[in-house]
Amino acid sequence: MHEPVRHIEWMGDARSGHLRLLDQTRLPGEVAWLACRDVETVRQAIMRLSVRGAPAIGIAAAYGCVLGAQQPDGRRAFAASAERLAASRPTAVNLFRAIDRMKRCAAGVPDDAALPARLLDEAKAIHEEDRAACRAIGEHALLLLRELTGDRLHLLTHCNAGALATGGIGTATAPMYIAAELELPLTVYADETRPLLQGSRLTAWELRQAGIDVSIIADSAAATVMAQKRIAAVITGADRIAANGDVANKIGTYSLAVLARHHGLPFVVAAPTTTIDLTCACGEKIPIEHRAAEEITAGFGRATAPPGAAAFAPAFDVTPAELITAIVTERGVIRPVNPAALAAQFDSC
Ligand code: MRU
């Protein structure tokens, strides 16, 4: 079984330990690690996308809360840290779920001296639960994809909903890793994912580490890849799923869903239940992060637009539920995607 890189790891004990993150901004060229010894470093790492992907930023923030509680005035520093971390990125609901869970944990620990250790246990539990959720998602998703594609596992994915975005084997990539374990024939196309190239830099990197056949395509090649019948299904992750089944995910996901519908291809979303937000009635209510114009006009430090050119840079879009064939969580498959089906399976979220 392929073990993905442990890209988020707590080093040492609760009182004096620190968080170690693989700096994803340096991939694929360099495998470099960031030592986060204070909350601000974790917040910056999330904002800069050194750690990114909905479940992963929740896990990193949970460990970040432990760093807050290590301060002399632990309880107050923890509360301030939780607020700071919650202000890092707005779209992935996993971040807010993890921080709320850490706050509930702190509230249940009357003894200040015990706070760091209890919070570290909670952060590790969040991490471990996500690892287990990824595998369960993979098992459900693989069964579904085999059924939908008649075992022709030619899959297109967008951005990175992989091991690097989670505590386990990813969400959209989970059925790929399991198919590889089972030695099933598998072909993956990865959208490069403009403007920050999470598809080519990260998804292709981690799938290659596992020996999985992956071809990178320019985002704009997706229609052609579908028209040429090179793929049998699209599978992506999610940053937040509204109560009606609308899905916010990396910008460009919506276009893929429209294209998939046009070409009669299944469009599957894989996400843990921690990504479902039943308090958000529909996609319009999901806060969408906008990134700095320079990520488009001068990506990776090199000007690709004339000085002064403006850019419109939403980091995520919303795919309407009606374009989604199924949502797969660790609890099973939601199909068709509608408010009643979501509520029926996830009323406890
Ligand atoms: O901006 P990013 O890289 O954090 O965006 C990540 C995505 O859009 C992923 O598809 C999503 O978080 C799901 S991760 C399992």
Side-chain angles (χ1 to χ4, degrees), residues 3-4 7 9 11 35 40 44 51 87 112 119 179 204 223 243 247 259 281 284 315 318 336:
E3 279 297 332
H7 63 104
E9 201 165 15
M11 312 298 286
E40 186 52 24
Q44 292 290 339
V51 59
D112 282 9
L119 288 173
V247 167
L259 289 173
E284 274 179 23
V318 174

Side-chain angles (χ1 to χ4, degrees), residues 130-279:
D130 189 65
R131 192 196 61 75
C134 287
R135 179 144 286 267
I137 289 169
E139 278 157 10
H140 294 304
L142 183 58
L143 279 179
L144 176 72
L145 289 169
R146 293 185 75 171
E147 176 204 324
L148 290 171
T149 65
D151 261 346
R152 188 171 163 262
L153 292 175
H154 290 209
L155 308 174
L156 172 61
T157 190
H158 189 65
C159 192
N160 173 262
L164 290 168
T166 65
I169 55 173
T171 61
T173 58
M176 301 171 190
Y177 283 114
I178 297 177
E181 279 168 29
L182 297 173
E183 297 182 8
L184 298 173
L186 169 71
T187 300
V188 179
Y189 287 88
D191 268 0
E192 64 178 349
T193 315
R194 285 277 300 151
L196 296 180
L197 306 185
Q198 288 94 329
S200 58
R201 290 190 306 106
L202 308 178
T203 301
W205 181 80
E206 64 166 82
L207 294 182
R208 285 309 306 142
Q209 297 278 312
I212 293 173
D213 170 32
V214 53
S215 299
I216 300 160
I217 59 166
D219 298 355
S220 45
T224 292
V225 167
M226 292 184 192
Q228 293 180 347
K229 303 197 183 325
R230 289 173 188 270
I231 65 157
V234 181
I235 182 162
T236 74
D239 279 78
R240 194 184 294 228
I241 301 174
N244 70 342
D246 291 351
V247 167
N249 192 50
K250 178 55 56 192
I251 192 76
T253 304
Y254 175 31
S255 337
L256 278 188
V258 172
L259 289 173
R261 175 60 53 91
H262 179 78
H263 292 91
L265 292 169
F267 183 90
V268 175
V269 171
T273 48
T274 48
T275 303
I276 296 175
D277 183 1
L278 294 181
T279 70

